[in-house]
Amino acid sequence: MDRDSIAFTDGDLPTSEQATAAVLRTEAIAATRGLRLHSIGVTWSEDADLQASMLMESLSESGFDNVVAIRMPEATEALARGIADVLGYDTTAVCVVEPESVISLIVNTSDGAVQTAFNHSVDSDDALISWLSTIFTRADWAPEALVVVGSAGD
């Protein structure tokens, strides 16, 4: 909430319990502002199935009854549309980098259309730059802004 971030540690609690504790803190902050948490969306990359299952179970056990699994394509498109709206450019590119894949989304805010490309073979910064350059050259719209997001890692 309010663009806060959550750092997970390799401490005594499993990551799913740390995330649930963070959601409980967020819910408490919202309540002090007269807001209510209506639902929780959970999305994950392919390599995190077990952790996602544990998180959804932990949230349910903590009393959250409206936990929704959101497929990665829908989550990345919603993220890209949200970022494009905030930035305010006519055309915004969002690149989501995950351990096993990269997704590039180009959002045209005037009509809401999104062009999406996937790559499972990007293995370096140079390969990412080359692939994005190719995508932007082939796209119907040249992006005015690029935002790169992803999970922590090498």
Side-chain angles (χ1 to χ4, degrees), residues 60-143:
S60 178
E61 289 173 355
S62 295
F64 295 104
D65 58 356
N66 196 4
V67 179
V68 181
I70 301 173
R71 293 177 356 115
M72 184 63 86
E74 287 83 8
T76 55
E77 185 169 321
L79 174 68
R81 288 178 186 277
I83 289 172
D85 286 344
V86 168
L87 293 180
Y89 292 106
D90 290 335
T91 309
T92 300
V94 176
C95 179
V96 180
V97 180
E98 288 295 323
E100 301 298 323
S101 65
V102 179
I103 305 167
S104 173
L105 303 102
I106 302 174
V107 180
N108 182 331
T109 54
S110 65
D111 65 5
V114 178
Q115 292 182 356
T116 305
F118 296 88
N119 190 318
H120 294 282
S121 62
V122 170
D123 58 0
S124 69
D125 293 345
D126 289 338
L128 176 62
I129 292 166
S130 175
W131 179 67
L132 287 174
S133 295
T134 301
I135 294 298
F136 298 157
T137 300
R138 291 183 186 166
D140 291 341
W141 319 297

Side-chain angles (χ1 to χ4, degrees), residues 2 5 13 20 25 49 54 58-59 102 106 121 124 128 131 139:
D2 288 336
S5 64
L13 288 176
T20 299
R25 287 191 303 273
D49 285 337
M54 292 170 57
S58 177
L59 289 166
V102 179
I106 302 174
S121 62
S124 69
L128 176 62
W131 179 67

